[in-house]
Amino acid sequence: MELLTREQAAERLGISVSTLDNERVAGNLEYIQRKRYGKVWITEEAIKAYLARGTHSALPEKPARINSPYQTYRKPRKRK
């Protein structure tokens, strides 16, 4: 199990260290910290799990085409 520093993990993810810290504090990224206010380490497995949660599959088909340029998916407004 390889342990990465915050800087190394942020570089691997292509994000800033502050974004990494925000994701960590929000509970989206697992980390290791032995002492309160101590050094933070992130495992390769935690990075893989983080990326897997953020990965979405492609849509199976395109949405139905709108017939009119003025037609939307919104509910029509009531006219006065």
Side-chain angles (χ1 to χ4, degrees):
M1 173 170 58
E2 184 181 358
L3 296 176
L4 304 171
T5 64
R6 293 169 39 241
E7 292 79 11
Q8 291 170 330
E11 187 177 329
R12 290 252 175 110
L13 290 169
I15 59 176
S16 67
V17 175
S18 62
T19 300
L20 182 126
D21 287 337
N22 290 339
E23 290 295 303
R24 195 171 51 81
V25 170
N28 298 328
L29 180 64
E30 296 176 357
Y31 63 97
I32 297 169
Q33 186 176 24
R34 291 193 172 191
K35 295 179 186 176
R36 189 174 181 179
Y37 306 115
K39 189 159 179 109
V40 171
W41 299 95
I42 298 166
T43 64
E44 234 359 276
E45 290 79 19
I47 290 176
K48 288 178 185 174
Y50 175 78
L51 291 173
R53 280 192 301 277
T55 303
H56 302 280
S57 62
L59 293 174
E61 58 186 50
K62 292 182 179 180
R65 188 173 178 167
I66 299 173
N67 296 330
S68 164
Y70 303 106
Q71 183 180 0
T72 67
Y73 293 107
R74 291 185 184 172
K75 206 167 147 181
R77 287 188 193 180
K78 293 181 183 177
R79 303 231 180 214
K80 291 183 180 181

Coordinates of all heavy atoms in Angstrom, one line a residue:
M1 N 0.9 -1.2 0.0 CA 0.0 0.0 0.0 C 0.9 1.2 0.0 O 1.7 1.4 0.9 CB -0.9 0.0 1.2 CG -1.7 1.2 1.4 SD -3.0 1.2 2.7 CE -2.2 0.8 4.2
E2 N 0.8 2.0 -1.1 CA 1.6 3.2 -1.2 C 0.8 4.4 -0.6 O -0.3 4.6 -0.8 CB 1.8 3.5 -2.7 CG 2.8 4.7 -2.9 CD 3.0 5.0 -4.3 OE1 2.5 4.2 -5.2 OE2 3.7 5.9 -4.6
L3 N 1.5 5.1 0.3 CA 1.0 6.3 0.9 C 1.5 7.6 0.2 O 2.6 7.7 -0.1 CB 1.4 6.4 2.4 CG 0.9 5.3 3.3 CD1 1.4 5.5 4.7 CD2 -0.6 5.3 3.3
L4 N 0.5 8.4 -0.1 CA 0.9 9.7 -0.9 C 0.6 10.9 0.0 O -0.3 10.9 0.9 CB 0.0 9.8 -2.1 CG 0.0 8.6 -3.1 CD1 -1.0 8.8 -4.1 CD2 1.4 8.5 -3.7
T5 N 1.4 11.9 -0.1 CA 1.2 13.2 0.6 C 0.0 13.9 -0.1 O -0.5 13.5 -1.2 CB 2.4 14.1 0.5 OG1 2.6 14.4 -0.9 CG2 3.6 13.4 1.1
R6 N -0.5 14.9 0.5 CA -1.6 15.7 -0.1 C -1.2 16.2 -1.4 O -2.0 16.2 -2.4 CB -2.0 16.8 0.9 CG -2.7 16.3 2.2 CD -2.8 17.4 3.2 NE -3.3 18.7 2.8 CZ -2.5 19.8 2.9 NH1 -1.4 19.8 3.5 NH2 -3.0 21.0 2.5
E7 N 0.0 16.7 -1.5 CA 0.5 17.3 -2.8 C 0.5 16.3 -3.9 O 0.1 16.5 -5.0 CB 1.8 18.0 -2.5 CG 1.8 19.2 -1.7 CD 1.7 18.9 -0.1 OE1 1.9 17.7 0.2 OE2 1.5 19.8 0.6
Q8 N 1.1 15.1 -3.5 CA 1.2 14.0 -4.5 C -0.2 13.5 -5.0 O -0.4 13.3 -6.2 CB 2.0 12.8 -4.0 CG 3.4 13.1 -3.7 CD 4.1 12.0 -3.0 OE1 3.5 11.4 -2.1 NE2 5.4 11.8 -3.2
A9 N -1.1 13.4 -4.0 CA -2.5 12.9 -4.3 C -3.2 14.0 -5.2 O -3.9 13.6 -6.2 CB -3.3 12.7 -3.1
A10 N -3.1 15.3 -4.9 CA -3.7 16.3 -5.7 C -3.1 16.3 -7.1 O -3.9 16.5 -8.0 CB -3.5 17.7 -5.0
E11 N -1.9 16.1 -7.2 CA -1.3 16.1 -8.6 C -1.8 14.9 -9.3 O -2.1 15.0 -10.5 CB 0.3 15.9 -8.4 CG 1.0 16.0 -9.7 CD 2.5 16.0 -9.6 OE1 3.0 16.5 -8.5 OE2 3.2 15.5 -10.5
R12 N -1.9 13.7 -8.7 CA -2.5 12.5 -9.4 C -3.9 12.7 -9.8 O -4.3 12.3 -10.9 CB -2.4 11.3 -8.4 CG -1.1 10.8 -8.1 CD -0.9 9.5 -8.8 NE 0.5 9.0 -8.6 CZ 0.8 8.0 -7.8 NH1 -0.1 7.3 -7.3 NH2 2.1 7.7 -7.7
L13 N -4.7 13.5 -9.0 CA -6.1 13.7 -9.4 C -6.3 14.9 -10.3 O -7.3 15.1 -10.8 CB -6.9 13.9 -8.1 CG -7.1 12.7 -7.2 CD1 -7.7 13.1 -5.8 CD2 -8.0 11.7 -7.9
G14 N -5.2 15.7 -10.4 CA -5.3 16.9 -11.3 C -6.1 18.0 -10.7 O -6.8 18.8 -11.4
I15 N -6.1 18.1 -9.4 CA -6.8 19.2 -8.6 C -5.8 19.9 -7.7 O -4.7 19.4 -7.5 CB -8.0 18.6 -7.8 CG1 -7.5 17.5 -6.8 CG2 -9.0 18.0 -8.7 CD1 -8.6 17.0 -5.9
S16 N -6.2 21.0 -7.2 CA -5.4 21.7 -6.2 C -5.4 21.1 -4.9 O -6.3 20.3 -4.5 CB -5.8 23.2 -6.1 OG -7.1 23.2 -5.5
V17 N -4.4 21.4 -4.0 CA -4.4 20.8 -2.7 C -5.6 21.3 -1.9 O -6.2 20.6 -1.1 CB -3.1 21.2 -2.0 CG1 -3.1 20.8 -0.5 CG2 -1.9 20.6 -2.7
S18 N -6.0 22.6 -2.1 CA -7.2 23.1 -1.3 C -8.5 22.4 -1.8 O -9.3 22.1 -0.9 CB -7.3 24.6 -1.5 OG -7.6 24.9 -2.9
T19 N -8.6 22.0 -3.0 CA -9.8 21.2 -3.5 C -9.7 19.8 -2.9 O -10.7 19.3 -2.4 CB -9.8 21.1 -5.0 OG1 -9.9 22.5 -5.5 CG2 -11.0 20.3 -5.5
L20 N -8.5 19.3 -2.8 CA -8.4 17.9 -2.2 C -8.8 18.0 -0.7 O -9.5 17.1 -0.3 CB -6.9 17.5 -2.3 CG -6.7 16.1 -1.8 CD1 -6.0 15.2 -2.8 CD2 -5.8 16.2 -0.6
D21 N -8.3 19.0 0.0 CA -8.7 19.2 1.4 C -10.2 19.4 1.5 O -10.8 18.8 2.5 CB -8.0 20.4 2.0 CG -6.5 20.1 2.2 OD1 -6.1 18.9 2.3 OD2 -5.7 21.1 2.3
N22 N -10.9 20.1 0.6 CA -12.3 20.3 0.7 C -13.0 18.9 0.5 O -14.0 18.6 1.2 CB -12.8 21.3 -0.4 CG -12.4 22.7 -0.1 OD1 -12.1 23.0 1.1 ND2 -12.3 23.5 -1.1
E23 N -12.6 18.1 -0.4 CA -13.2 16.8 -0.7 C -12.9 15.9 0.5 O -13.8 15.1 0.9 CB -12.6 16.2 -2.0 CG -13.0 16.9 -3.2 CD -14.5 16.7 -3.5 OE1 -15.0 15.6 -3.5 OE2 -15.2 17.8 -3.6
R24 N -11.8 16.0 1.1 CA -11.4 15.2 2.3 C -12.3 15.6 3.5 O -12.9 14.7 4.1 CB -10.0 15.4 2.6 CG -9.3 14.5 3.5 CD -7.8 14.7 3.6 NE -7.4 16.1 3.9 CZ -7.4 16.6 5.1 NH1 -7.7 15.9 6.1 NH2 -7.0 17.9 5.2
V25 N -12.5 16.8 3.7 CA -13.3 17.3 4.9 C -14.8 17.0 4.6 O -15.5 16.7 5.6 CB -13.1 18.8 5.1 CG1 -14.1 19.4 6.1 CG2 -11.7 19.1 5.6
A26 N -15.2 17.0 3.4 CA -16.6 16.7 3.1 C -16.9 15.2 3.2 O -18.0 14.8 3.1 CB -16.9 17.2 1.7
G27 N -15.8 14.4 3.3 CA -16.0 13.0 3.5 C -16.0 12.2 2.1 O -16.4 11.1 2.1
N28 N -15.6 12.9 1.1 CA -15.6 12.3 -0.2 C -14.3 11.5 -0.5 O -14.3 10.7 -1.5 CB -15.8 13.3 -1.3 CG -17.2 14.0 -1.2 OD1 -18.1 13.4 -0.7 ND2 -17.2 15.2 -1.5
L29 N -13.3 11.8 0.2 CA -12.0 11.1 0.0 C -11.4 10.6 1.3 O -11.3 11.4 2.3 CB -11.0 12.2 -0.6 CG -9.6 11.7 -0.9 CD1 -9.6 10.6 -2.0 CD2 -8.8 12.9 -1.4
E30 N -11.2 9.3 1.4 CA -10.6 8.7 2.6 C -9.2 9.1 2.8 O -8.4 9.3 1.8 CB -10.7 7.2 2.5 CG -12.1 6.7 2.4 CD -12.2 5.2 2.3 OE1 -11.2 4.5 2.1 OE2 -13.3 4.7 2.3
Y31 N -8.7 9.2 4.0 CA -7.4 9.6 4.3 C -6.9 9.0 5.6 O -7.7 8.5 6.4 CB -7.2 11.1 4.3 CG -8.0 11.8 5.4 CD1 -7.4 12.1 6.6 CD2 -9.4 12.1 5.2 CE1 -8.1 12.7 7.6 CE2 -10.1 12.7 6.2 CZ -9.5 13.0 7.4 OH -10.2 13.6 8.4
I32 N -5.6 9.0 5.9 CA -5.0 8.5 7.1 C -4.4 9.7 7.8 O -3.6 10.5 7.2 CB -3.9 7.5 6.8 CG1 -4.6 6.3 6.1 CG2 -3.2 7.1 8.1 CD1 -3.6 5.3 5.6
Q33 N -4.7 9.9 9.1 CA -4.1 10.9 9.9 C -4.0 10.3 11.3 O -5.0 10.1 12.0 CB -5.0 12.2 9.9 CG -4.3 13.3 10.6 CD -5.2 14.6 10.4 OE1 -6.4 14.5 10.2 NE2 -4.6 15.7 10.5
R34 N -2.8 10.1 11.8 CA -2.6 9.5 13.1 C -2.8 10.4 14.2 O -3.3 9.9 15.2 CB -1.1 8.9 13.2 CG -1.0 7.8 12.2 CD 0.3 7.0 12.5 NE 0.3 5.8 11.7 CZ 1.2 4.9 11.9 NH1 2.1 5.0 12.9 NH2 1.2 3.8 11.2
K35 N -2.4 11.6 14.1 CA -2.6 12.6 15.2 C -3.5 13.7 14.7 O -3.4 14.1 13.5 CB -1.3 13.2 15.7 CG -0.4 12.2 16.3 CD 0.9 12.9 16.7 CE 1.9 11.9 17.2 NZ 3.2 12.5 17.5
R36 N -4.2 14.3 15.6 CA -5.0 15.5 15.3 C -4.0 16.6 14.8 O -3.0 16.8 15.5 CB -5.8 15.9 16.5 CG -6.8 17.0 16.1 CD -7.7 17.3 17.3 NE -8.6 18.3 16.9 CZ -9.5 18.8 17.7 NH1 -9.6 18.4 19.0 NH2 -10.4 19.7 17.3
Y37 N -4.3 17.2 13.7 CA -3.5 18.3 13.1 C -2.1 17.7 12.6 O -1.2 18.5 12.3 CB -3.2 19.4 14.1 CG -4.4 20.1 14.6 CD1 -4.7 20.0 16.0 CD2 -5.3 20.7 13.8 CE1 -5.9 20.5 16.5 CE2 -6.5 21.2 14.3 CZ -6.8 21.2 15.7 OH -7.9 21.7 16.2
G38 N -2.0 16.4 12.5 CA -0.8 15.8 12.0 C -0.8 15.6 10.5 O -1.8 16.1 9.8
K39 N 0.2 15.0 10.0 CA 0.4 14.9 8.6 C -0.7 14.0 8.0 O -1.1 13.0 8.6 CB 1.7 14.3 8.3 CG 2.1 14.3 6.8 CD 3.6 14.2 6.6 CE 3.9 14.1 5.1 NZ 4.5 15.4 4.7
V40 N -1.2 14.3 6.8 CA -2.3 13.5 6.2 C -1.7 12.7 5.0 O -0.9 13.2 4.2 CB -3.4 14.5 5.6 CG1 -4.4 13.8 4.7 CG2 -4.1 15.3 6.7
W41 N -2.1 11.4 5.0 CA -1.7 10.5 3.9 C -2.9 10.0 3.2 O -3.9 9.8 3.8 CB -0.9 9.4 4.5 CG 0.3 9.8 5.3 CD1 0.5 10.0 6.6 CD2 1.6 10.0 4.7 NE1 1.7 10.4 6.9 CE2 2.5 10.4 5.7 CE3 2.1 10.0 3.4 CZ2 3.8 10.7 5.5 CZ3 3.5 10.3 3.2 CH2 4.3 10.7 4.3
I42 N -2.7 9.8 1.9 CA -3.8 9.3 1.1 C -3.3 8.0 0.4 O -2.2 8.1 -0.2 CB -4.4 10.3 0.2 CG1 -4.9 11.5 1.0 CG2 -5.4 9.8 -0.8 CD1 -5.1 12.8 0.3
T43 N -4.1 7.0 0.4 CA -3.7 5.7 -0.3 C -4.1 5.7 -1.8 O -5.0 6.4 -2.2 CB -4.2 4.5 0.4 OG1 -5.7 4.5 0.3 CG2 -3.9 4.4 1.9
E44 N -3.4 4.9 -2.5 CA -3.8 4.7 -3.9 C -5.2 4.2 -4.0 O -5.9 4.6 -4.9 CB -2.8 3.7 -4.5 CG -2.0 3.9 -5.7 CD -2.0 5.1 -6.5 OE1 -2.9 5.3 -7.4 OE2 -1.2 6.0 -6.3
E45 N -5.6 3.3 -3.1 CA -6.9 2.7 -3.1 C -8.0 3.8 -2.9 O -9.0 3.7 -3.5 CB -7.0 1.6 -2.0 CG -6.2 0.3 -2.3 CD -4.8 0.5 -2.0 OE1 -4.4 1.4 -1.2 OE2 -4.0 -0.3 -2.5
A46 N -7.7 4.7 -2.0 CA -8.6 5.8 -1.7 C -8.8 6.7 -3.0 O -9.9 7.1 -3.3 CB -8.1 6.7 -0.6
I47 N -7.7 6.9 -3.7 CA -7.8 7.7 -5.0 C -8.7 6.9 -6.0 O -9.5 7.5 -6.6 CB -6.4 8.0 -5.5 CG1 -5.8 9.0 -4.6 CG2 -6.5 8.5 -7.0 CD1 -4.3 9.4 -5.0
K48 N -8.4 5.6 -6.1 CA -9.2 4.8 -7.1 C -10.7 4.8 -6.7 O -11.6 4.9 -7.6 CB -8.7 3.4 -7.1 CG -7.4 3.2 -7.8 CD -6.9 1.8 -7.8 CE -5.5 1.7 -8.3 NZ -4.9 0.4 -8.2
A49 N -11.0 4.7 -5.4 CA -12.4 4.7 -4.9 C -13.1 6.0 -5.2 O -14.2 6.1 -5.6 CB -12.5 4.3 -3.5
Y50 N -12.3 7.1 -5.0 CA -12.8 8.5 -5.2 C -13.1 8.7 -6.7 O -14.2 9.2 -7.0 CB -11.8 9.5 -4.8 CG -12.1 10.9 -5.1 CD1 -13.0 11.6 -4.3 CD2 -11.5 11.6 -6.1 CE1 -13.3 12.9 -4.6 CE2 -11.8 12.9 -6.4 CZ -12.7 13.6 -5.6 OH -13.1 14.9 -5.9
L51 N -12.3 8.2 -7.6 CA -12.5 8.3 -9.0 C -13.6 7.5 -9.5 O -14.4 7.8 -10.3 CB -11.2 8.0 -9.8 CG -10.1 9.0 -9.6 CD1 -8.8 8.5 -10.3 CD2 -10.5 10.4 -10.2
A52 N -13.8 6.3 -8.9 CA -14.9 5.4 -9.2 C -16.2 6.0 -8.9 O -17.2 5.8 -9.6 CB -14.7 4.0 -8.5
R53 N -16.3 6.7 -7.7 CA -17.6 7.3 -7.3 C -17.9 8.4 -8.2 O -19.1 8.7 -8.4 CB -17.5 7.8 -5.9 CG -17.7 6.7 -4.9 CD -17.9 7.3 -3.5 NE -16.8 8.1 -3.0 CZ -15.7 7.7 -2.5 NH1 -15.5 6.4 -2.3 NH2 -14.7 8.5 -2.1
G54 N -17.0 9.1 -8.8 CA -17.2 10.2 -9.7 C -17.3 9.9 -11.2 O -17.6 10.7 -12.0
T55 N -17.2 8.6 -11.5 CA -17.3 8.2 -12.9 C -18.7 7.8 -13.2 O -19.4 7.1 -12.5 CB -16.4 6.9 -13.1 OG1 -15.1 7.3 -12.7 CG2 -16.4 6.5 -14.5
H56 N -19.2 8.4 -14.3 CA -20.6 8.1 -14.8 C -20.5 7.4 -16.1 O -19.7 7.7 -17.0 CB -21.3 9.4 -14.9 CG -21.4 10.2 -13.7 ND1 -22.3 10.0 -12.7 CD2 -20.7 11.3 -13.3 CE1 -22.1 10.8 -11.7 NE2 -21.1 11.6 -12.0
S57 N -21.5 6.5 -16.3 CA -21.5 5.8 -17.6 C -22.2 6.7 -18.6 O -22.9 7.6 -18.3 CB -22.3 4.5 -17.4 OG -23.6 4.8 -17.1
A58 N -21.9 6.4 -19.9 CA -22.5 7.2 -21.0 C -23.9 6.9 -21.1 O -24.4 5.8 -20.7 CB -21.7 6.8 -22.3
L59 N -24.7 7.8 -21.6 CA -26.1 7.6 -21.8 C -26.3 6.5 -22.9 O -25.7 6.5 -23.9 CB -26.8 8.9 -22.3 CG -26.9 10.0 -21.2 CD1 -27.4 11.3 -21.9 CD2 -27.7 9.6 -20.0
P60 N -27.3 5.6 -22.7 CA -27.5 4.5 -23.6 C -28.1 5.0 -25.0 O -27.8 4.5 -26.0 CB -28.5 3.6 -23.0 CG -29.2 4.4 -21.9 CD -28.2 5.5 -21.5
E61 N -28.8 6.1 -25.0 CA -29.3 6.7 -26.2 C -29.5 8.2 -26.0 O -29.6 8.7 -24.9 CB -30.6 6.0 -26.6 CG -31.7 6.2 -25.6 CD -33.0 5.4 -25.9 OE1 -32.9 4.2 -26.2 OE2 -34.1 6.0 -25.8
K62 N -29.6 8.9 -27.1 CA -29.8 10.3 -27.1 C -31.3 10.6 -26.6 O -32.2 9.9 -27.0 CB -29.6 11.0 -28.4 CG -28.1 10.9 -28.8 CD -27.9 11.6 -30.2 CE -26.5 11.5 -30.6 NZ -26.2 12.2 -31.8
P63 N -31.5 11.8 -26.0 CA -32.8 12.1 -25.6 C -33.7 12.4 -26.8 O -33.1 12.7 -27.9 CB -32.7 13.4 -24.7 CG -31.3 13.8 -24.9 CD -30.5 12.7 -25.5
A64 N -35.0 12.3 -26.7 CA -35.9 12.6 -27.8 C -35.7 14.0 -28.4 O -35.5 14.9 -27.6 CB -37.3 12.4 -27.4
R65 N -35.8 14.1 -29.7 CA -35.6 15.4 -30.3 C -36.8 16.3 -30.1 O -37.9 15.8 -30.2 CB -35.3 15.2 -31.8 CG -34.9 16.5 -32.4 CD -34.4 16.2 -33.8 NE -34.1 17.5 -34.4 CZ -33.5 17.6 -35.6 NH1 -33.1 16.5 -36.2 NH2 -33.2 18.8 -36.1
I66 N -36.6 17.6 -29.9 CA -37.7 18.5 -29.7 C -38.1 19.0 -31.1 O -37.3 19.3 -32.0 CB -37.2 19.7 -28.9 CG1 -36.8 19.3 -27.5 CG2 -38.3 20.8 -28.8 CD1 -36.2 20.4 -26.7
N67 N -39.5 18.9 -31.4 CA -40.0 19.2 -32.7 C -39.9 20.7 -33.0 O -39.7 21.1 -34.1 CB -41.5 18.7 -32.8 CG -41.5 17.2 -32.7 OD1 -40.6 16.5 -33.0 ND2 -42.6 16.7 -32.1
S68 N -40.2 21.5 -32.1 CA -40.3 23.0 -32.3 C -39.1 23.7 -31.6 O -38.7 23.3 -30.6 CB -41.6 23.5 -31.8 OG -41.6 24.9 -31.7
P69 N -38.6 24.7 -32.2 CA -37.5 25.4 -31.5 C -38.0 26.1 -30.3 O -37.2 26.5 -29.4 CB -37.0 26.5 -32.6 CG -38.1 26.6 -33.5 CD -38.9 25.3 -33.5
Y70 N -39.3 26.3 -30.1 CA -39.9 27.0 -29.0 C -40.4 26.0 -27.9 O -40.8 26.3 -26.8 CB -41.1 27.9 -29.4 CG -40.6 28.9 -30.4 CD1 -41.0 28.8 -31.7 CD2 -39.8 30.0 -30.0 CE1 -40.6 29.7 -32.7 CE2 -39.4 30.9 -31.0 CZ -39.8 30.7 -32.3 OH -39.4 31.7 -33.2
Q71 N -40.4 24.7 -28.2 CA -40.8 23.7 -27.3 C -39.7 23.3 -26.3 O -38.5 23.2 -26.7 CB -41.2 22.4 -28.1 CG -41.8 21.3 -27.2 CD -42.2 20.1 -28.0 OE1 -42.0 20.1 -29.2 NE2 -42.6 19.1 -27.4
T72 N -40.0 23.2 -25.1 CA -39.0 22.9 -24.0 C -39.6 21.8 -23.2 O -40.8 21.4 -23.3 CB -38.7 24.1 -23.1 OG1 -39.8 24.4 -22.4 CG2 -38.2 25.3 -24.0
Y73 N -38.8 21.3 -22.2 CA -39.3 20.3 -21.3 C -40.0 21.0 -20.1 O -40.5 20.3 -19.2 CB -38.1 19.5 -20.8 CG -37.5 18.7 -21.9 CD1 -36.2 19.0 -22.4 CD2 -38.1 17.6 -22.3 CE1 -35.7 18.2 -23.4 CE2 -37.6 16.8 -23.3 CZ -36.4 17.1 -23.9 OH -35.8 16.3 -24.8
R74 N -40.0 22.3 -20.1 CA -40.6 23.0 -19.0 C -42.1 23.0 -19.1 O -42.7 22.8 -20.2 CB -40.2 24.4 -18.9 CG -38.8 24.6 -18.5 CD -38.6 26.1 -18.4 NE -37.2 26.4 -18.1 CZ -36.7 27.6 -18.1 NH1 -37.4 28.6 -18.4 NH2 -35.4 27.8 -17.8
K75 N -42.8 23.2 -18.0 CA -44.2 23.3 -18.0 C -44.6 24.7 -18.6 O -43.9 25.7 -18.3 CB -44.7 23.2 -16.6 CG -46.1 22.8 -16.4 CD -46.2 22.5 -14.9 CE -47.6 22.8 -14.4 NZ -47.8 22.5 -13.0
P76 N -45.6 24.8 -19.5 CA -45.9 26.1 -20.1 C -46.4 27.1 -19.1 O -47.1 26.7 -18.1 CB -47.0 25.8 -21.2 CG -47.2 24.3 -21.1 CD -46.4 23.7 -20.0
R77 N -46.0 28.3 -19.3 CA -46.5 29.4 -18.4 C -48.0 29.7 -18.7 O -48.4 29.5 -19.8 CB -45.7 30.7 -18.6 CG -44.4 30.7 -18.2 CD -43.8 32.1 -18.3 NE -42.4 32.1 -18.1 CZ -41.7 33.2 -18.2 NH1 -42.2 34.3 -18.5 NH2 -40.4 33.1 -18.0
K78 N -48.7 30.1 -17.6 CA -50.0 30.5 -17.8 C -50.0 32.0 -18.3 O -49.3 32.8 -17.8 CB -50.8 30.5 -16.5 CG -51.0 29.1 -15.9 CD -51.7 29.1 -14.6 CE -51.8 27.7 -14.1 NZ -52.5 27.7 -12.8
R79 N -50.7 32.2 -19.4 CA -50.8 33.5 -20.0 C -51.9 34.3 -19.4 O -52.9 33.8 -19.0 CB -51.0 33.4 -21.5 CG -50.0 32.5 -22.2 CD -49.5 33.2 -23.3 NE -48.4 32.4 -24.0 CZ -47.4 32.9 -24.6 NH1 -47.3 34.2 -24.6 NH2 -46.5 32.1 -25.1
K80 N -51.7 35.6 -19.3 CA -52.7 36.5 -18.6 C -53.8 36.9 -19.6 O -53.6 37.0 -20.8 CB -52.0 37.7 -18.1 CG -51.2 37.4 -16.9 CD -50.6 38.7 -16.4 CE -49.7 38.4 -15.2 NZ -49.2 39.6 -14.6

